[in-house]
Amino acid sequence: MEKENDFEIVNQENEVQPENNDKIQEEIESEELNNESKYESRELQEIENARSIFLKQYRSGNRFKSLIFVIVLIVLCASFIVIPNVAQGAPYQLPLMLGIAVVTLGGILLYTILTRKSMKTKMHNYFEIYYGNLNKYVFSNKSFENIEFQNPGKIPDQLFLDAEIYLNILEVRSRGATTFKYKGQDMTVCDCAGSIKNDKRIVPAFVGKYVSTSNSYEGKDQILIYIKGDNRALPPTNTEDKKIVFDDKKIVIYTNNKKWKDVVTTELMKKISNIKPNKELVDIAISIQPSKTYVAMGYDDPLMVVPLEQEFDAKPVEYYKKDILKVCEFLKELE
């Protein structure tokens, strides 16, 4: 599953002003002309082009930063070696040395602040393109409407905690929150990670795509449905105070609602059964609460880590496109 710091790259509190989008689009289209596309859609190809451009900027910035630090080191060493020999015994010797040191260190501090701000802006623009194009591709079905993404797209931590799927969540990280309508029903999806403390270590309780929407359920008891995964799975932990009312090789249902079958009908079970773990989708936890449904779709690194060093692999996105459609169809049934 995804490493903890994979979410740090976009959880920036400071507002970032994007660069000229027309200029960025020109660079992406230029990159596309120079490469024969192996992706099934223009949106996926543009993600790879944006990644390639950002990687060049990232590497170039690191090389230039290293060069600047070498020059600064040379200037400082030279000033502390040359000045004492040239101006030996002069009253201005120490002030001159300190002045050069202060100016040099001040300059490197200013350079660091400016380059960091510039890199944040470039990163912001890359994520804008990544999620914008990913959403265009994933939600291309006509049943999806009004797709809106706000970069970096964090959700309130409480929105994840309200699902009551995992116990003792210590930290919630999110990005890429996108609102949309599926057959007229409002829904939200985002990349999300919830962490817990285990033997003095912070470990993930969930990493994946997190979906929330409204429902017509009026019962008081939570209905927790878990579609079992393989050895990569991170099952729900908030289960001890609930009865197991259904359990087979693929699905287990926890609830204290004696009339749970009135909610999880035969038709609904068919739609749930259509949501199957695969190479990318590890497992699925569904929390049906009064008036609200939450779905935690556990995914592995290939989908959850935004590509940088490695070429963009579209296969996980292709799987996700099919998965989210099945999840939304199930959620629509509960409206």
Side-chain angles (χ1 to χ4, degrees), residues 166-171 194-198 201-205:
Y166 308 97
L167 290 174
N168 303 319
I169 293 295
L170 193 67
E171 182 180 38
S195 301
I196 59 173
K197 193 171 184 179
N198 186 11
R201 293 175 57 245
I202 304 300
V203 297

Side-chain angles (χ1 to χ4, degrees), residues 229-256:
D230 55 24
N231 60 346
R232 301 170 296 167
L234 295 172
T237 54
N238 187 22
T239 59
E240 292 185 3
D241 62 341
K242 302 174 185 64
K243 296 178 182 178
I244 297 177
V245 295
F246 180 88
D247 192 7
D248 65 11
K249 291 182 180 180
K250 298 180 180 179
I251 299 170
V252 57
I253 302 176
Y254 306 88
T255 187
N256 294 324

Side-chain angles (χ1 to χ4, degrees), residues 103-116:
V103 170
T104 304
L105 293 176
I108 195 65
L109 179 62
L110 179 61
Y111 168 79
T112 301
I113 293 171
L114 293 176
T115 53
R116 184 176 295 174

Side-chain angles (χ1 to χ4, degrees), residues 313-325:
D313 182 4
K315 284 297 179 184
V317 179
E318 292 168 9
Y319 275 100
Y320 170 53
K321 180 178 182 178
K322 296 174 183 176
D323 298 336
I324 193 68
L325 189 61

Side-chain angles (χ1 to χ4, degrees), residues 197-217:
K197 193 171 184 179
N198 186 11
D199 295 331
K200 298 181 180 180
R201 293 175 57 245
I202 304 300
V203 297
F206 168 75
V207 178
K209 301 286 184 178
Y210 183 68
V211 188
S212 60
T213 189
S214 59
N215 64 39
S216 58
Y217 178 51

Side-chain angles (χ1 to χ4, degrees), residues 4-5 18 24 28 31 54 92 95 99 116 120 123-124 138 145 167 172 186 188 192 204 235 241 248 274 280 318 321:
E4 230 177 296
N5 60 5
I24 297 169
I28 291 172
E31 190 83 11
F54 178 63
Y92 59 82
R116 184 176 295 174
K120 277 186 180 180
M123 185 189 301
H124 179 95
V138 169
E145 296 178 319
L167 290 174
V172 178
D186 291 322
T188 300
C192 193
D241 62 341
D248 65 11
N274 284 335
E280 306 301 337
E318 292 168 9
K321 180 178 182 178

Side-chain angles (χ1 to χ4, degrees), residues 21-203:
N21 287 331
D22 292 337
K23 182 181 178 181
I24 297 169
Q25 191 61 37
E26 285 176 9
E27 291 180 13
I28 291 172
E29 291 174 356
S30 175
E31 190 83 11
E32 185 175 345
L33 291 172
N34 295 329
N35 296 290
E36 185 178 344
S37 178
K38 65 176 184 179
Y39 298 95
E40 70 170 49
S41 76
R42 181 185 180 90
E43 289 83 11
L44 298 178
Q45 179 63 60
E46 287 188 354
I47 290 175
E48 169 55 22
N49 296 342
R51 181 206 67 84
S52 178
I53 291 168
F54 178 63
L55 180 60
K56 290 174 184 176
Q57 294 170 336
Y58 181 77
R59 286 176 173 171
S60 176
N62 281 346
R63 285 195 296 267
F64 192 65
K65 184 165 58 177
S66 298
L67 178 62
I68 291 294
F69 276 104
V70 169
I71 293 173
V72 167
L73 187 61
I74 292 172
V75 170
L76 288 175
C77 289
S79 65
F80 279 86
I81 293 172
V82 173
I83 292 176
N85 291 325
V86 174
Q88 191 171 9
Y92 59 82
Q93 177 183 324
L94 184 59
L96 181 59
M97 292 167 60
L98 292 176
I100 292 174
V102 169
V103 170
T104 304
L105 293 176
I108 195 65
L109 179 62
L110 179 61
Y111 168 79
T112 301
I113 293 171
L114 293 176
T115 53
R116 184 176 295 174
K117 184 178 179 181
S118 175
M119 190 53 64
K120 277 186 180 180
T121 300
K122 289 179 172 62
M123 185 189 301
H124 179 95
N125 292 332
Y126 172 41
F127 275 78
E128 188 82 35
I129 294 164
Y130 175 83
Y131 280 104
N133 282 277
L134 184 143
N135 287 336
K136 287 178 185 177
Y137 173 76
V138 169
F139 299 115
S140 60
N141 187 288
K142 292 182 179 179
S143 297
F144 294 107
E145 296 178 319
N146 299 356
I147 302 141
E148 294 184 9
F149 160 64
Q150 296 294 325
N151 195 2
K154 294 178 66 175
I155 62 168
D157 292 357
Q158 195 61 43
L159 184 60
F160 180 77
L161 299 175
D162 284 345
E164 298 182 352
I165 297 174
Y166 308 97
L167 290 174
N168 303 319
I169 293 295
L170 193 67
E171 182 180 38
V172 178
R173 298 185 182 185
S174 60
R175 69 184 179 206
T178 301
T179 58
F180 60 93
K181 286 182 181 290
Y182 178 74
K183 295 182 178 179
Q185 183 175 349
D186 291 322
M187 300 185 186
T188 300
V189 63
C190 71
D191 291 4
C192 193
S195 301
I196 59 173
K197 193 171 184 179
N198 186 11
D199 295 331
K200 298 181 180 180
R201 293 175 57 245
I202 304 300
V203 297

